[in-house]
Amino acid sequence: MKALHIITGLGVGGAEQQLRLLLRHLPVESEVVTLTNPGPVADGLAADGVRVTHLGMTGNRDLAALPRLARIVRRGRYDLVHTHLYRACLYGRIAARLAGVRAVVATEHSLGDSQMEGRPLTAGVRALYLLGERLGRCTVAVSPTVAGRLARWGVPEPRIAVVPNGIDLTRFAYDPDARRRTRAHLGLPADAFVIGGVGRLVPGKRFDVLIRALAELPADCRLLLVGGGPEEPALRRAARAAGVAERVLFAGERPYLPDGPPGRGLPDGPPCPDLPDGPLCPDLPDGSSGPRLPHGPNPPASPPSRDLPDGSSGPRLPDGQSPPDSAPDADLPDGSSGLGLPDGPATPNWADGSRVPDLSADGPSGPGLPALASAMDVLAAPSPEEAFGLAVVEALAAGLPVRYTSCPALEDLPPEAAPDAVRVPCDAGAYARALAEVRAAGPGPRTAPEAARHYSITRSAARLMDVYTAALARPVPPPRSPQGVTPS
């Protein structure tokens, strides 16, 4: 089977890193098209041996990108197209149809009750989504909660499949050596009580709640925020205003997976051969996409290029530079292109502006997310609306107690699957009390509960393969008219 994944951008984000992790476990020849910014996850995919093409889309209304995308799909002769994130789902489904591919799957990564990908839902966003959905064969929901939201929107239930996000349990397993090393490198005292917050620094994540809660906690408590985004300056101001700037550490975006060709394939099936390292795959000036080399060397290294409206690939740029008009990776349903993410992990620093010690012992990017999870004592997730809650599940895999406000991944399981995951209102006082209780209880065993094991990436990959098989085998169910459907 040969599949093309189309995604809005490949900056550091949950959907983007989930795609990379899935491709390491799917026994499918896969390639990727990113509509916009080919950021750090694109580099990681290329290092894994996955061919990545940058379409160079300049915004949500760049209609000239559609025929370019359709040509890529047609030339690739893919059996299946899989789209990710709002803009890519809309353009990717249309392009697949234009190219004659009928087996189209779309994953809904971040549909909330009142927002999608961090922006408010509108009637126009919903109507456009439903029109595009009719062109696919299946919409994948990352949780039963999201599946219910899709059904209430008007997506026919036979066209919805639940494939939860997955995690690499082995990588997140608690490592006491990584804990000591990471704390030392970050300047965190060995006896400090470290509260972790993981996610994009955007208003919807409500990390400001944790900063205000920290002000009510003892002086040995630290807040370690892992992620980047436009809310960082406001959070720094909030930390200074609360008098805790010297206790809030901004770690920046952190790598989830190491670079290098993985051994892919499901445990109970034949593995997919390892793929060599290779560059992003630009379209060639003659309109071809270059040789398909799934089991051999990739073409010589060259920087990514961008299709121009006339179908040509445009000039080659110096290594490390992106086209000047390339759009950032954010995918905003209101039609704007949002703010882009940095091109790599930032240097960790405290909210008061002081830098942490040198991190070179952990490589050029410093400690990755699994090592940072080992350095934490608790994860706090105050976001009031989530589609899955991947950071919570990853924290559970690291054996951390978790205090959260919204996590469909846990809400869809029985409480005993994660006994040390407790729901807390999105309120600074409530979080201060809940975190004080965790601190007072002292450290417990750092073992992963059943909930973390339930969301193993191998299980998710196997479920997705079932969806692919069904999409290739069955006819398209007749779509139901979205008119008259009551919004959620």
Side-chain angles (χ1 to χ4, degrees):
M1 184 191 305
K2 186 177 181 183
L4 177 67
H5 292 263
I6 303 173
I7 190 166
T8 301
L10 286 171
V12 177
E16 296 84 353
Q17 299 201 83
Q18 185 67 197
L19 172 60
R20 184 184 175 197
L21 182 60
L22 264 175
L23 294 191
R24 289 185 161 213
H25 292 268
L26 286 174
V28 175
E29 182 187 343
S30 299
E31 299 178 0
V32 176
V33 167
T34 176
L35 302 187
T36 65
N37 176 36
V41 178
D43 297 336
L45 284 165
D48 292 347
V50 177
R51 189 178 296 277
V52 179
T53 299
H54 177 207
L55 190 65
M57 193 173 183
T58 57
N60 279 2
R61 298 180 178 88
D62 181 9
L63 298 180
L66 186 56
R68 302 203 307 272
L69 182 57
R71 283 195 296 272
I72 291 172
V73 177
R74 187 179 299 111
R75 288 197 305 261
R77 299 183 178 182
Y78 301 101
D79 301 301
L80 179 142
V81 170
H82 188 163
T83 64
H84 307 262
L85 299 177
Y86 184 87
R87 193 197 309 180
C89 284
L90 180 61
Y91 278 81
R93 284 164 167 153
I94 297 172
R97 272 301 181 96
L98 291 173
V101 178
R102 293 295 183 264
V104 181
V105 173
T107 292
E108 182 44 63
H109 291 273
S110 59
L111 176 63
D113 283 323
S114 62
Q115 58 83 33
M116 175 185 283
E117 298 169 27
R119 286 301 179 101
L121 293 173
T122 65
V125 166
R126 177 172 168 266
L128 200 57
Y129 185 96
L130 291 173
L131 285 172
E133 193 279 333
R134 294 158 67 94
L135 301 177
R137 288 196 173 172
C138 181
T139 297
V140 171
V142 296
S143 67
T145 299
V146 170
R149 290 168 181 163
L150 287 168
R152 291 193 297 274
W153 261 32
V155 178
E157 291 188 17
R159 296 162 64 91
I160 302 172
V162 177
V163 178
N165 286 327
I167 59 170
D168 187 334
L169 288 165
T170 302
R171 282 193 55 73
F172 275 94
Y174 174 66
D175 183 344
D177 291 333
R179 177 184 175 87
R180 288 190 292 271
R181 185 173 63 251
T182 300
R183 285 194 170 213
H185 290 161
L186 294 177
L188 291 166
D191 59 350
F193 181 75
V194 177
I195 302 158
V198 178
R200 282 272 288 146
L201 302 185
V202 293
K205 294 297 184 181
R206 296 306 310 272
F207 289 128
D208 59 301
V209 169
L210 300 185
I211 289 174
R212 295 199 303 274
L214 183 66
E216 301 181 30
L217 293 170
D220 68 325
C221 296
R222 302 289 190 276
L223 176 59
L224 175 60
L225 293 178
V226 183
E231 189 73 359
E232 183 173 333
L235 293 173
R236 290 181 180 276
R237 290 193 296 271
R240 290 193 293 270
V244 294
E246 75 287 355
R247 293 198 280 146
V248 179
L249 178 60
F250 289 84
E253 294 165 351
R254 295 289 100 196
Y256 172 78
L257 291 169
D259 288 343
R264 293 199 292 273
L266 302 176
D268 52 359
C272 178
D274 287 348
L275 301 180
D277 291 355
L280 298 175
C281 177
D283 284 345
L284 301 179
D286 63 1
S288 66
S289 58
R292 306 295 175 182
L293 302 171
H295 304 306
N298 279 310
S302 61
S305 67
R306 178 175 55 83
D307 279 348
L308 298 178
D310 62 0
S312 65
S313 61
R316 305 294 179 186
L317 297 173
D319 288 344
Q321 294 185 16
S322 297
D325 59 344
S326 60
D329 61 82
D331 180 277
L332 304 182
D334 67 351
S336 62
S337 59
L339 295 173
L341 296 172
D343 290 333
T347 302
N349 57 93
W350 297 95
D352 63 3
S354 59
R355 299 285 180 175
V356 304
D358 177 44
L359 301 176
S360 58
D362 280 295
S365 298
L369 183 55
L372 290 167
S374 288
M376 298 172 187
D377 293 297
V378 61
L379 182 98
S383 170
E385 191 171 300
E386 291 286 340
F388 182 78
L390 186 59
V392 168
V393 177
E394 290 168 343
L396 292 174
L400 283 169
V402 171
R403 299 299 179 262
Y404 71 96
T405 299
S406 173
C407 181
L410 296 186
E411 293 153 17
D412 295 328
L413 297 178
E416 58 268 22
D420 207 2
V422 178
R423 198 165 185 172
V424 178
C426 183
D427 173 79
Y431 266 92
R433 292 188 293 273
L435 295 170
E437 291 172 1
V438 176
R439 175 178 173 274
R446 294 289 294 263
T447 55
E450 176 56 34
R453 294 191 293 272
H454 178 81
Y455 292 114
S456 164
I457 187 61
T458 55
R459 179 180 295 185
S460 296
R463 288 189 183 184
L464 188 57
M465 285 303 302
D466 290 341
V467 171
Y468 285 179
T469 301
L472 288 165
R474 64 182 174 82
V476 183
R480 184 178 65 183
S481 171
Q483 293 182 355
V485 177
T486 303
S488 60

